[in-house]
Amino acid sequence: TQGWGGIDIGLSECLTRTAPLFQVEAKDTEPLPNLAKSWDWSSDGLKLTMHLIEGAKWSDGAPFNADDVMFYWDDEVVDPNVSPLNGATPETFGVGTTLKKIDDYTVEWTFKEAFPRQYLYAMAYGTFCPGPSHILKPQHPKHSKNTYDQFK
């Protein structure tokens, strides 16, 4: 049984995961790693560098990497014409938050407030679960002749 998540929880993965939280010690205030295998805060807490898992592949064999994360952010979450099923908006991760690719397996979040650990929870199921950009990007209106209705 998939419990409350249904079959979709077995078909998508997100940057972090929040359950089962019994695996986290009470003193810890961050969720568990998932597609993001680890992360580091800058000394001022305004930047969060996420290290993504390496070696994961989509069902067609294409690698999962930072391009998938960036497509999800730039062309789904930030694009006001796209309404992700999970309802993620840029504000979900804090007003003024930005995300950039460092390399194929590293992304960097920049926040307006120091150490906003609550956003790590917003990166879990089902809010920040990127899809295969190599399949989705060619269908997106910014990268094709499709309309937003066709993309949806």
Side-chain angles (χ1 to χ4, degrees):
T1 178
Q2 291 293 329
W4 66 269
I7 194 163
D8 59 332
I9 200 167
L11 296 175
S12 63
E13 294 292 338
C14 307
L15 291 180
T16 63
R17 67 186 190 108
T18 57
L21 284 177
F22 65 83
Q23 294 178 338
V24 179
E25 292 187 32
K27 65 179 177 54
D28 293 334
T29 58
E30 296 180 347
L32 299 167
N34 202 42
L35 291 176
K37 66 180 179 180
S38 64
W39 47 86
D40 306 299
W41 291 97
S42 61
S43 59
D44 63 4
L46 297 176
K47 291 189 184 288
L48 177 71
T49 303
M50 286 194 138
H51 309 282
L52 305 175
I53 61 170
E54 297 180 37
K57 296 186 184 303
W58 295 103
S59 59
D60 64 0
F64 162 78
N65 59 36
D67 292 335
D68 300 311
V69 174
M70 294 310 303
F71 172 78
Y72 183 71
W73 175 258
D74 291 334
D75 294 322
E76 294 189 41
V77 174
V78 175
D79 188 331
N81 297 301
V82 177
S83 300
L85 295 176
N86 54 35
T89 67
E91 294 75 26
T92 303
F93 306 96
V95 173
T97 294
T98 61
L99 181 62
K100 73 176 182 178
K101 177 181 172 180
I102 303 299
D103 62 37
D104 282 346
Y105 295 100
T106 312
V107 294
E108 181 182 77
W109 296 85
T110 301
F111 302 103
K112 297 292 184 185
E113 60 184 284
F115 299 104
R117 289 179 171 87
Q118 69 272 20
Y119 299 131
L120 287 167
Y121 288 93
M123 296 173 197
Y125 177 80
T127 310
F128 206 102
C129 310
S133 63
H134 69 285
I135 293 173
L136 298 172
K137 189 173 185 174
Q139 304 304 316
H140 193 283
K142 289 183 186 175
H143 310 281
S144 72
K145 293 181 180 183
N146 287 346
T147 66
Y148 278 97
D149 283 338
Q150 289 170 315
F151 180 66
K152 290 176 188 178

